[in-house]
Amino acid sequence: MDTTLLGALEAGGTKMVCATGYGDGTVVEQISLPTTTPEETMTEVAAWFADKGVAAIGIGAFGPTAVNPASPRYGQILETPKTAWRYFDMLGSVISRLDVPCGYDTDVNVACLGEVTFGCAKGLTDVVYLTIGTGIGAGVLSGGKLMHGMMHPEAGHIRVLPDPRDPIAHNSACPYHTNCFEGLVAGPAIAKRWDGKSGGEMAEDAEAMDLLAGYLGQALATYILCYSPQKIIIGGGVADHTPIVELSRAKTAEWLNNYIATPEMHDLDNYIVNNSLEGKQGIMGCLELARQALEG
Amino acid sequence: MDTTLLGALEAGGTKMVCATGYGDGTVVEQISLPTTTPEETMTEVAAWFADKGVAAIGIGAFGPTAVNPASPRYGQILETPKTAWRYFDMLGSVISRLDVPCGYDTDVNVACLGEVTFGCAKGLTDVVYLTIGTGIGAGVLSGGKLMHGMMHPEAGHIRVLPDPRDPIAHNSACPYHTNCFEGLVAGPAIAKRWDGKSGGEMAEDAEAMDLLAGYLGQALATYILCYSPQKIIIGGGVADHTPIVELSRAKTAEWLNNYIATPEMHDLDNYIVNNSLEGKQGIMGCLELARQALEG
């Protein structure tokens, strides 16, 4: 086993998860720090890593952020509603403080990488990792490579057809879109629709779950048509604490209506799945990103 | 210049375009044959190529078809409504008759490859090529590779929100989906909505064009969110003979509502464009595929 100690930083909008570990995905130490101002937060992050002796760090950052190394803004947070972080040089701030090789990608891409390297998508080349929590985002592996392109996918914001039973279908929690998937299904949408409750608190409400699973199934049908993935893995608080992933399978099949005829479509239990790494898919993906950064 | 003669076969559901040419995209000879039964059609195709002396052939086939070389069905047409062609071994039938190295992909992927190699997307790594004709399909380049995955994208069949002005919004021309993009915008949908007319025949009807461009803009917004492409190129009869590509730019911006903040979004005239190779993008992509097949 390679005993080179690696660093992992899951840079989220509400907390920073810092960890050390190895290239085989083993996590040695881990802490969580609140995300406040960039200066304060990154000083604390750097202080934690300072005496750990990590050889490289993999960073998974909240978006939108510039992940293409050729971009003049590479490593910066882009036009986020968190104005203090707008255009903050996340990658540069880690490198300048800790001076080790760093890998940099979105939080959802690193979670996808974690599942592909260590989890239930091991060996696959085309995978969608979807997180449904405070927001909705997708990390995508296509042809063995994490998808970037112009920026990176923002697939949580695709429009969905409103369910006629849904009282807030035209009163989305997304400030940009009247009826996008995130605006109707992420945590704030659930709270808005059901008296401030969380997904987990609504998990026993069959009608609520059916509604959310219907939107999820609709979005998954779109992702299957667009990405043709070999597997779809779903994480995030809303997905982890409700039965919507399980319920979405039949909905996805209804939306596709037998149009896609592949063996995978006859085995949706193994095609649309919950995350397999007990919430560590992001950190483990960061370790893999660090390992790749070290390899150059 | 490399003077190795290459073959190109655009295998469509209504016609087969056969051509010879060079690795620089130059077309030497070209014919079009009607698509009838597999046996008859492929015998004619092979007869045309027999005395040309091509060193390799690039094939772009109508879908759904198996394009992953690791698939046991690689090179076969899959579950198409054209029942005579279902499970026909397209690639095998060319190799057995002509015995040269062959490259094989979908018709839309080779058109995408043509635009990336010779056309307006030269040098880009993330590109969507959309065709709007008898059907709607998307070829996708992601990270420099044509997207395959489980099968290949079938992005023409994504659901769209019905336009309240549209009398057939719940009476789609797609046999699978009540309101998918193809079912509302492809040639048969136009014919169904407007007394058997073609896209070109409706091109002067401002209201019709506004309706179609709205659906196109909605679909493009979804593709931008899902694929994060550096450019979107649109071909096919409906797009070529109407102003919908031009009209869709403002609609796309409306659907996205400033959520994606990149330089490309401020230059939609160069981001969402008509095809640049005068209808030859498919054949030229086949030539590039043949060149790659020869390189091994």
Side-chain angles (χ1 to χ4, degrees):
Chain A
M1 179 186 145
D2 186 346
T3 56
T4 308
L5 195 68
L6 302 168
L9 171 59
E10 254 192 302
T14 55
K15 63 179 178 174
M16 298 270 157
V17 180
C18 308
T20 58
Y22 298 108
D24 67 352
T26 311
V27 176
V28 174
E29 254 187 289
Q30 181 172 322
I31 58 149
S32 177
L33 303 165
T35 301
T36 60
T37 64
E39 185 55 34
E40 188 177 56
T41 308
M42 297 315 289
T43 300
E44 283 193 50
V45 165
W48 189 80
F49 277 113
D51 62 354
K52 299 291 184 295
V54 295
I57 298 178
I59 306 168
F62 67 90
T65 180
V67 290
N68 181 349
S71 161
R73 292 201 181 278
Y74 179 53
Q76 289 183 23
I77 302 297
L78 299 175
E79 305 207 6
T80 171
K82 297 170 208 304
T83 48
W85 289 83
R86 201 172 283 179
Y87 302 122
F88 176 71
D89 186 0
M90 176 75 81
L91 174 61
S93 88
V94 173
I95 293 176
S96 69
R97 285 168 161 98
L98 295 163
D99 196 24
V100 291
C102 288
Y104 188 81
D105 215 312
T106 62
D107 46 7
V108 277
N109 264 353
V110 298
C112 188
L113 184 63
E115 290 284 357
V116 167
T117 312
F118 305 110
C120 66
K122 213 184 281 188
L124 299 183
T125 55
D126 292 76
V127 175
V128 172
Y129 177 88
L130 186 70
T131 182
I132 309 178
T134 314
I136 297 184
V140 182
L141 188 83
S142 172
K145 292 167 79 170
L146 295 169
M147 188 181 279
H148 296 153
M150 171 177 66
M151 188 175 76
H152 49 70
E154 280 285 349
H157 288 266
I158 60 168
R159 300 300 173 106
V160 288
L161 294 164
D163 186 313
R165 297 172 301 173
D166 189 0
I168 71 149
H170 294 285
N171 186 15
S172 156
C174 169
Y176 292 90
H177 307 122
T178 50
N179 58 333
C180 72
F181 178 36
E182 172 172 310
L184 297 180
V185 175
I190 294 173
K192 190 169 177 183
R193 197 188 276 106
W194 292 298
D195 298 326
K197 291 201 170 122
S198 70
E201 288 167 335
M202 292 302 294
E204 308 288 316
D205 184 322
E207 204 182 331
M209 292 304 108
D210 189 69
L211 187 76
L212 296 176
Y215 287 129
L216 174 54
Q218 192 183 157
L220 295 181
T222 294
Y223 300 152
I224 291 167
L225 292 163
C226 285
Y227 298 124
S228 193
Q230 297 160 317
K231 197 182 271 283
I232 298 175
I233 301 159
I234 309 178
V238 173
D240 287 353
H241 300 114
T242 68
I244 61 170
V245 172
E246 193 184 334
L247 294 170
S248 71
R249 293 180 188 124
K251 305 286 190 183
T252 303
E254 270 176 50
W255 285 104
L256 289 172
N257 194 26
N258 297 312
Y259 181 70
I260 303 289
T262 62
E264 289 87 345
M265 293 299 104
H266 298 290
D267 187 19
L268 291 180
D269 287 358
N270 287 306
Y271 183 70
I272 297 168
V273 299
N274 288 98
N275 66 82
S276 71
L277 297 169
E278 297 166 345
K280 290 195 294 182
Q281 57 274 15
I283 281 297
M284 292 171 80
C286 288
L287 290 173
E288 170 61 12
L289 209 58
R291 194 194 64 75
Q292 292 176 6
L294 204 55
E295 274 194 348
Chain B
M1 179 188 144
D2 185 346
T3 56
T4 308
L5 195 68
L6 302 169
L9 171 59
E10 253 193 302
T14 54
K15 63 179 178 175
M16 298 269 157
V17 180
C18 308
T20 58
Y22 297 109
D24 68 351
T26 311
V27 176
V28 174
E29 256 187 287
Q30 181 172 324
I31 59 149
S32 177
L33 303 165
T35 302
T36 59
T37 65
E39 183 56 34
E40 188 178 57
T41 307
M42 298 314 290
T43 301
E44 282 193 52
V45 165
W48 189 81
F49 277 113
D51 62 354
K52 300 292 184 293
V54 295
I57 298 178
I59 306 168
F62 67 90
T65 181
V67 290
N68 180 349
S71 161
R73 293 202 181 276
Y74 178 55
Q76 289 183 23
I77 303 297
L78 299 175
E79 306 209 3
T80 170
K82 296 170 208 304
T83 49
W85 289 85
R86 199 172 285 179
Y87 303 122
F88 176 70
D89 185 1
M90 176 76 81
L91 174 60
S93 88
V94 174
I95 293 177
S96 69
R97 284 169 162 96
L98 295 163
D99 196 26
V100 291
C102 287
Y104 188 81
D105 215 312
T106 62
D107 47 6
V108 277
N109 264 354
V110 299
C112 188
L113 183 63
E115 290 285 358
V116 167
T117 311
F118 305 111
C120 66
K122 213 185 280 189
L124 300 183
T125 55
D126 292 76
V127 176
V128 172
Y129 176 88
L130 186 70
T131 182
I132 308 178
T134 314
I136 298 184
V140 183
L141 188 83
S142 172
K145 291 167 80 170
L146 295 170
M147 188 181 280
H148 296 153
M150 170 176 68
M151 187 175 78
H152 48 71
E154 278 286 349
H157 287 267
I158 60 168
R159 300 299 173 107
V160 289
L161 294 164
D163 186 313
R165 297 170 301 172
D166 189 1
I168 71 148
H170 294 285
N171 187 15
S172 155
C174 170
Y176 292 90
H177 308 122
T178 50
N179 58 333
C180 72
F181 178 36
E182 172 172 309
L184 297 181
V185 175
I190 294 173
K192 190 169 177 182
R193 197 187 276 107
W194 292 297
D195 298 327
K197 292 202 171 122
S198 70
E201 287 167 335
M202 292 302 295
E204 307 289 315
D205 183 322
E207 204 182 330
M209 293 303 109
D210 189 69
L211 187 76
L212 296 176
Y215 287 129
L216 175 54
Q218 192 184 156
L220 294 181
T222 293
Y223 300 152
I224 291 167
L225 292 163
C226 285
Y227 299 123
S228 193
Q230 297 160 317
K231 195 182 272 281
I232 297 175
I233 302 158
I234 310 179
V238 173
D240 287 352
H241 300 114
T242 67
I244 61 170
V245 171
E246 192 185 334
L247 294 170
S248 71
R249 293 180 188 124
K251 305 284 189 183
T252 303
E254 271 176 47
W255 284 104
L256 289 172
N257 195 27
N258 297 312
Y259 180 71
I260 303 288
T262 61
E264 288 87 345
M265 293 299 103
H266 298 289
D267 187 19
L268 291 181
D269 286 358
N270 287 307
Y271 183 70
I272 297 167
V273 299
N274 287 98
N275 65 83
S276 70
L277 297 169
E278 296 164 347
K280 290 195 295 180
Q281 56 274 16
I283 282 296
M284 292 170 82
C286 289
L287 290 173
E288 170 61 12
L289 209 58
R291 194 193 64 74
Q292 292 176 5
L294 205 57
E295 274 196 346

